[in-house]
Amino acid sequence: QVQLVESGGGSVQAGGALRLSCAVSGYLYPFYRMGWFRQAPGKEREGVASLLRGTLSTYADSVKGRFTISQDNGKNTLYLQMSSLKPEDTAMYYCAADRRVMSGIPPLGAGSFTYWGQGTQVTVSA
């Protein structure tokens, strides 16, 4: 059974940094597509960053230049390095993965991912 477990969330002040990790088990890593999503209270889940075949990255405009997605195949782990954090980055962050080999689907669309973690909370104070 595929499991994604996020860690690394916490509370930081604006301008600070955090690195989120997503440990993958139950599947022969790597997935074809992996990503990070976030959901703030009262808002819809939004795609933050995705990684296709471990090389092609896509970022939401709101995080470009501040967040970096990467993966370590040897550790079966996906990362999200976040810097210059802003209060509007406050949300529950979710790791997602998919093994379907498909083209032409939205890289940051929630429907493009089958497997999801339980989330890790990130809180940024002004």
Side-chain angles (χ1 to χ4, degrees):
Q1 182 177 357
V2 175
Q3 284 193 319
L4 308 177
V5 179
E6 303 94 335
S7 62
S11 297
V12 295
Q13 291 188 329
L18 284 173
R19 187 176 78 158
L20 305 183
S21 299
C22 173
V24 179
S25 63
Y27 181 67
L28 187 61
Y29 196 78
F31 285 92
Y32 183 72
R33 180 181 301 104
M34 297 201 72
W36 287 96
F37 289 74
R38 66 187 181 186
Q39 187 167 18
K43 294 187 177 181
E44 293 186 356
R45 187 171 297 191
E46 64 169 341
V48 174
S50 69
L51 197 59
L52 183 67
R53 292 178 295 180
T55 58
L56 183 62
S57 59
T58 302
Y59 296 93
D61 288 343
S62 59
V63 306
K64 280 181 181 177
R66 300 188 298 121
F67 290 11
T68 302
I69 187 171
S70 63
Q71 66 184 44
D72 185 331
N73 293 340
K75 295 182 179 180
N76 290 4
T77 303
L78 180 74
Y79 300 101
L80 184 69
Q81 178 68 48
M82 307 185 295
S83 60
S84 301
L85 283 161
K86 305 174 181 180
E88 51 263 45
D89 294 319
T90 295
M92 185 71 78
Y93 282 72
Y94 299 91
C95 172
D98 201 275
R99 54 189 175 188
R100 297 170 293 176
V101 180
M102 299 188 299
S103 60
I105 62 174
L108 295 178
S112 302
F113 296 84
T114 303
Y115 304 102
W116 293 83
Q118 294 300 307
T120 184
Q121 178 68 37
V122 172
T123 303
V124 184
S125 58

